[in-house]
Amino acid sequence: QVQLVESGGGLVQAGASLRLSCAASGFTFSNYDMGWFRQAPGKEREFVGLIRWSGRSVSYGDSVRGRFGISRDNAKNMMWLQMNSLKPEDTAVYYCARLEGGRPVGSWGQGTQVTVSS
């Protein structure tokens, strides 16, 4: 079955960097656009960014553009989210997702908690 496992979160100070990983299995990873989303307490899930199946095109949400970067390795069925210049408002649970038509499909994984202290 489709499985997405996020890892790499933690507690950091403002201005620090973190790199999140997403390990995919159960589907042909190289066929799918992939995305990162996040959800802060009491807020709706928010789009962070996406990467096309080829890895040649990425796009980001307004709140992270210029600070975050997404990459993937189709041979390893892996995707990463490099987060730089972290801010307290980046505090959230981060999720990766398989996309169809630009929308996440399937069940969400457990996510990985990112906490940024001021």
Side-chain angles (χ1 to χ4, degrees):
Q1 72 277 20
V2 173
Q3 192 170 16
L4 297 169
V5 179
E6 304 91 345
S7 62
L11 171 62
V12 297
Q13 291 189 329
S17 297
L18 274 176
R19 190 190 195 207
L20 306 185
S21 299
C22 172
S25 61
F27 64 101
T28 305
F29 182 73
S30 58
N31 285 355
Y32 287 87
D33 298 345
M34 296 292 295
W36 284 99
F37 296 79
R38 68 186 183 185
Q39 188 166 23
K43 295 187 177 181
E44 292 189 355
R45 206 175 309 247
E46 175 189 14
F47 170 75
V48 173
L50 67 84
I51 186 166
R52 299 297 184 188
W53 62 271
S54 65
R56 294 177 182 172
S57 178
V58 292
S59 62
Y60 301 97
D62 290 343
S63 60
V64 306
R65 189 176 297 115
R67 299 187 297 121
F68 289 13
I70 299 175
S71 59
R72 67 188 293 166
D73 185 333
N74 286 343
K76 296 180 179 179
N77 289 356
M78 292 291 298
M79 178 177 64
W80 297 275
L81 178 67
Q82 177 66 43
M83 306 187 295
N84 300 323
S85 302
L86 283 162
K87 305 175 181 180
E89 51 263 44
D90 293 319
T91 295
V93 178
Y94 284 71
Y95 302 88
C96 61
R98 183 174 57 151
L99 303 178
E100 288 185 4
R103 295 181 178 274
V105 294
S107 301
W108 294 99
Q110 85 287 349
T112 186
Q113 175 71 48
V114 172
T115 303
V116 184
S117 63
S118 56

